[in-house]
Amino acid sequence: MAGTTSSSRPRPTAPHLQVYRPTLTMTMSIAHRLTGIAVYIGTIVFVWWLIAIAAGRDAYESFLDALGSIPGLIVLFGLTWAVLHHALGGIRHLIWDTGRAHTYPWREYLARANLIGSLALTAILWAVCYPR
Amino acid sequence: MRDFRTSTALARGLGAAGNGTRDFWHQRVTSVLGVLLIAGVLIVISTSVGADYDEVTNLLSNPLAVIVLLLALLNFCIHMRIGMQVVIEDYVHGPVTKALLLIANTGFSAVIGVAGAAAVLKIAFAG
Amino acid sequence: MRSFLPLNFGADTVSRIAKGKIWDTSTGDKATRVLEVYRYDPESGRGPRLDVYHIDRKSCGPMVLDALVKIKNEIDPTLTFRRSCREGVCGSCSMSIDGRNWLACTQPIDDIRGTIRVFPLNHFLVMKDLVVDQSHVIAQHRLIQPWLKSETPGPERERLQSPEDRAKLDGFYECILCFSCTGGCPSYWWNGERYLGPAVLLQAYRWLVDSRDEAKGERLDTLEDPFRLYRCHTIMNCTKTCPKGLEPAKAIARIKAMLVERQH
Ligand code: HEM
C-alpha cells in the first residue's frame, strides 16, 4: 500500500475478473443482481398497468396494444423470467443467510435449482396465460 | 500526489458507521414477505389476462386484490430502495454522483410506491 | 470456460499485461507442460508481461509449486514467488492458478488441462512477479483484534472451555491466512479499501464464537458497518476457493445473524 514503497511507478493491480474462472454461484449472483435491476426498472410497467386501468377504458386499451406488440411481449416475457429468477434467487439467499447449504454439493444444487426453477415457472405461467 | 497514510490509517478509515444491520434485516423481511406478495401479484395479473375492461376493474375492486396490491407496493418500494442503494454503493465511488444517485433512488422508489397505490385506490373507490 | 473477459479488459495503464518472453525450451515431448506466468519487475520501468515456459513433467514434482521451483532453478532464476512449507500449512504460495486461487504447493499439475496460467492473487497490488503487497489485508486483520480479549484475570493454568464450545471453532480456526478467498472475492475487488474481505471476517468470527473471549460486543461494534461487513453478497467464491476447505461465507452469514440477534 501507499506509504510503504519508495518506487515512483505505481504498482500494478493483479488481474481479477479478467482471469477468474466463472463459477456457477458467481454467475447466479450476477444474475440475481441483473434481474433485481431489471425488476426495479420493470416496476414502471407494473405501475403503468395500474395507472392505465385507473385512467379509463381508452388508456387501458392502448396499454394492452403496447404490451401486445412484439417488443412489448418480449419485454413482458423477460420481466416474467426476471421476477421469478430474482424471487427464487432471493430464497436461495435466505437459505444461505441461515448458514445452511454452504457445503459442496448443496450450494451448487441451490444455484442450479434457481435457474431451472425460474425457467420452468416462467414457461408454466406463460403456457397458462398466453393463450388467453 | 504521493499518499503517505499508513496501512493502519487506511484500514481504519472513518471508523465503523454503526449501522448496516437495519438495512440488511429490512431487506430480509421484505424478501420473506415479498415471496408471498409476488405470488399474490402474479395471481392478480394472470387473472386479468384476457379479461375485458369491466372485468379487470371488477377484479381490482375486490378487497383482497386491493390489500395484496397495496402491501406489495409498500413492500417492494422498501425492498427495491435498499437493494439499489447497495448496488450504487458497490460501484459508484464519487461522493457527489453517489449522493445524487442515492437521492434519485429514494425518489424513484417512492414515486413507484405512491403512484401505484394512488392508482389502486382510484380503481377501487372511484373507478 | 476461462473467464468472461479478455485479459486486459478495463485494466489501467500500469496494470496492462503485455505479451512476454517465450522461453523456448520445449523438446516436443508429450510430457511437456506449458505454463504462462505473470511477470513484473518494478526496477525494469516496464509494466507486467506474461512469460511462457515449457517444463518436462517427467522430471518435475507433482505440484504447481514444483513447476515454479523448476523454472527458477533451471530456466529463469529471476522468477520471484513466496513459498515456505510446501505442504499447505504456511499459506505463503497462494496465487491464481488456472482461474482460481489455491496454494501452489497443494495444486497438482495433472489436475489442470492445457496451459497452466499463473497470476498473483487477484486484485492485490503486485510487488514483483507473483509476490503481492499484503500490508492492507494485514492492517485489516489487525483491525479485528485477532487475539483473546478478557478482563477477568486469567486462571493459574489454561482458560477452560467445554468440548462443545471448543467444537464451535472447528472449521474456522484452521485458516492459514493465505488470502486465497479475499483475492477471489468480487466485493473485495470493487471495495477492498473498506470491505474487510472473507479471510479477515472468518477470523473475526473465530474470535466471536470463542467462549473464552469477553469482547463480543466490542467486536460486533467494529463490524457494524455497511462496508466493512455488508459488502458480502454471498457470491461464494471464497468458500469454493479455500485450499483448506473452510467456509468463510458461512462465518460471515453467522456474523450477520449475531448482529441481527442483538437488535431484536
Ligand atoms: C419475491 C420476491 C423477492 C425476493 C425474495 C427478493 C430477495 C432479494 C434479496 C435476498 C436480495 C439481497 C441480495 C444480496 O444481499 O446480495 C435482493 C436484492 C435486490 N432486490 Fe429483491 N427480492 C424480491 C423481489 C424484488 C423486486 C420486486 C424488486 C424490484 C422492484 C427487487 C429488487 C432488488 C434489487 C434492486 C436488489 C439489489 C440487487 C443486488 O444487491 O444484487 N427485488 N432481493
Side-chain angles (χ1 to χ4, degrees):
Chain A
M1 266 276 118
T4 56
T5 161
S6 59
S7 137
S8 55
R9 187 191 163 89
R11 285 176 172 161
T13 306
H16 37 96
L17 197 55
Q18 303 88 342
V19 299
Y20 212 86
R21 181 184 293 276
T23 63
L24 184 64
T25 50
M26 173 160 75
T27 313
M28 284 300 118
S29 178
I30 296 169
H32 187 74
R33 171 152 291 187
L34 291 181
T35 52
I37 294 170
V39 181
Y40 182 98
I41 299 166
T43 53
I44 295 174
V45 179
F46 177 56
V47 169
W48 178 21
W49 176 66
L50 291 171
I51 290 177
I53 299 169
R57 213 171 284 274
D58 292 347
Y60 188 56
E61 285 302 325
S62 28
F63 171 83
L64 288 184
D65 286 347
L67 270 203
S69 67
I70 299 291
L73 284 173
I74 292 173
V75 168
L76 200 57
F77 186 84
L79 267 182
T80 316
W81 175 74
V83 168
L84 291 167
H85 188 86
H86 184 85
L88 292 183
I91 296 172
R92 176 181 56 109
H93 265 286
L94 294 170
I95 295 171
W96 278 342
D97 286 337
T98 69
R100 289 177 181 81
H102 281 245
T103 309
Y104 183 86
W106 299 103
R107 57 170 186 257
E108 309 298 323
Y109 290 166
L110 266 191
R112 242 181 280 174
N114 189 178
L115 186 61
I116 297 168
S118 67
L119 291 172
L121 280 178
T122 309
I124 291 170
L125 203 60
W126 274 67
V128 171
C129 291
Y130 187 67
R132 291 195 262 150
Chain B
M1 187 191 76
R2 289 273 299 280
D3 187 346
F4 289 99
R5 283 175 297 173
T6 62
S7 299
T8 303
L10 285 169
R12 287 184 184 162
L14 301 177
N19 66 56
T21 304
R22 268 267 118 77
D23 277 351
F24 171 78
W25 179 242
H26 286 160
Q27 191 73 343
R28 307 300 126 162
V29 170
T30 54
S31 296
V32 173
L33 298 176
V35 174
L36 303 173
L37 291 168
I38 201 75
V41 169
L42 287 176
I43 289 170
V44 173
I45 293 177
S46 43
T47 312
S48 84
V49 176
D52 66 27
Y53 184 71
D54 293 325
E55 288 167 343
V56 172
T57 45
N58 244 338
L59 170 69
L60 293 197
S61 304
N62 179 316
L64 195 60
V66 174
I67 292 169
V68 165
L69 289 175
L70 288 180
L71 286 179
L73 283 161
L74 175 65
N75 187 80
F76 290 125
C77 173
I78 299 170
H79 178 89
M80 68 201 270
R81 177 178 168 271
I82 303 173
M84 190 54 78
Q85 177 185 311
V86 171
V87 175
I88 294 167
E89 287 167 347
D90 268 2
Y91 303 125
V92 183
H93 296 112
V96 177
T97 325
K98 178 156 63 181
L100 291 176
L101 284 174
L102 290 176
I103 293 166
N105 176 41
T106 301
F108 179 79
S109 307
V111 167
I112 288 294
V114 172
V120 170
L121 292 174
K122 174 156 189 285
I123 300 163
F125 296 112
Chain C
M1 189 160 61
R2 257 186 174 177
S3 161
F4 296 116
L5 301 170
L7 187 55
N8 281 317
F9 185 87
D12 56 31
T13 35
V14 290
S15 306
R16 290 189 74 82
I17 305 165
K19 277 210 165 61
K21 182 168 171 183
I22 298 173
W23 301 74
D24 196 5
T25 48
S26 168
T27 52
D29 192 290
K30 270 218 194 76
T32 300
R33 292 301 306 257
V34 182
L35 283 96
E36 287 178 0
V37 183
Y38 179 99
R39 305 298 311 273
Y40 169 68
D41 177 3
E43 260 129 56
S44 71
R46 270 173 299 151
R49 60 179 208 270
L50 204 57
D51 277 6
V52 182
Y53 300 95
H54 300 84
I55 58 151
D56 173 20
R57 176 67 186 84
K58 278 177 302 195
S59 61
C60 181
M63 302 298 175
V64 169
L65 182 64
D66 296 314
L68 294 175
V69 170
K70 191 176 169 68
I71 291 170
K72 191 173 175 68
N73 285 346
E74 297 172 17
I75 306 174
D76 177 6
T78 66
L79 179 64
T80 307
F81 49 91
R82 288 195 179 105
R83 88 278 174 276
S84 177
C85 75
R86 55 103 188 94
E87 57 187 14
V89 293
C90 80
S92 302
C93 65
S94 58
M95 51 187 75
S96 165
I97 304 166
D98 193 36
R100 70 163 177 180
N101 298 326
W102 210 260
L103 300 170
C105 66
T106 61
Q107 171 64 59
I109 294 171
D110 295 344
D111 284 2
I112 301 168
R113 274 180 295 158
T115 304
I116 302 163
R117 298 178 108 205
V118 183
F119 295 93
L121 269 186
N122 316 117
H123 203 269
F124 276 75
L125 293 176
V126 182
M127 297 171 80
K128 186 166 193 235
D129 296 346
L130 301 172
V131 176
V132 296
D133 185 346
Q134 297 194 336
S135 34
H136 189 57
V137 265
I138 297 295
Q140 289 179 311
H141 187 221
R142 202 178 315 123
L143 186 73
I144 59 113
Q145 310 199 319
W147 54 81
L148 189 80
K149 297 185 42 145
S150 167
E151 281 169 19
T152 309
E156 299 256 313
R157 294 165 60 113
E158 66 272 52
R159 291 169 203 270
L160 293 178
Q161 186 170 45
S162 71
E164 292 77 23
D165 279 337
R166 168 61 188 78
K168 289 182 185 155
L169 306 182
D170 287 342
F172 303 104
Y173 81 91
E174 299 93 330
C175 172
I176 55 175
L177 287 171
C178 71
F179 297 110
S180 285
C181 55
T182 298
C185 173
S187 280
Y188 200 81
W189 301 343
W190 316 136
N191 285 290
E193 287 236 338
R194 297 170 74 180
Y195 176 47
L196 296 179
V200 168
L201 290 171
L202 179 132
Q203 290 287 335
Y205 179 71
R206 179 252 172 275
W207 291 104
L208 278 166
V209 282
D210 195 316
S211 62
R212 298 163 298 180
D213 191 80
E214 294 176 350
K216 291 199 187 346
E218 210 180 290
R219 291 181 188 284
L220 289 176
D221 289 345
T222 306
L223 300 175
E224 175 65 278
D225 184 89
F227 279 82
R228 286 182 176 180
L229 173 69
Y230 286 105
R231 282 310 102 185
C232 166
H233 307 310
T234 332
I235 299 165
M236 286 283 187
N237 279 9
C238 54
T239 297
K240 248 185 218 181
T241 203
C242 175
K244 302 297 280 184
L246 310 182
E247 298 175 329
K250 187 190 275 181
I252 299 172
R254 295 219 180 128
I255 297 175
K256 291 172 183 166
M258 279 181 178
L259 280 160
V260 171
E261 191 188 335
R262 83 169 176 172
Q263 294 216 338
H264 292 279

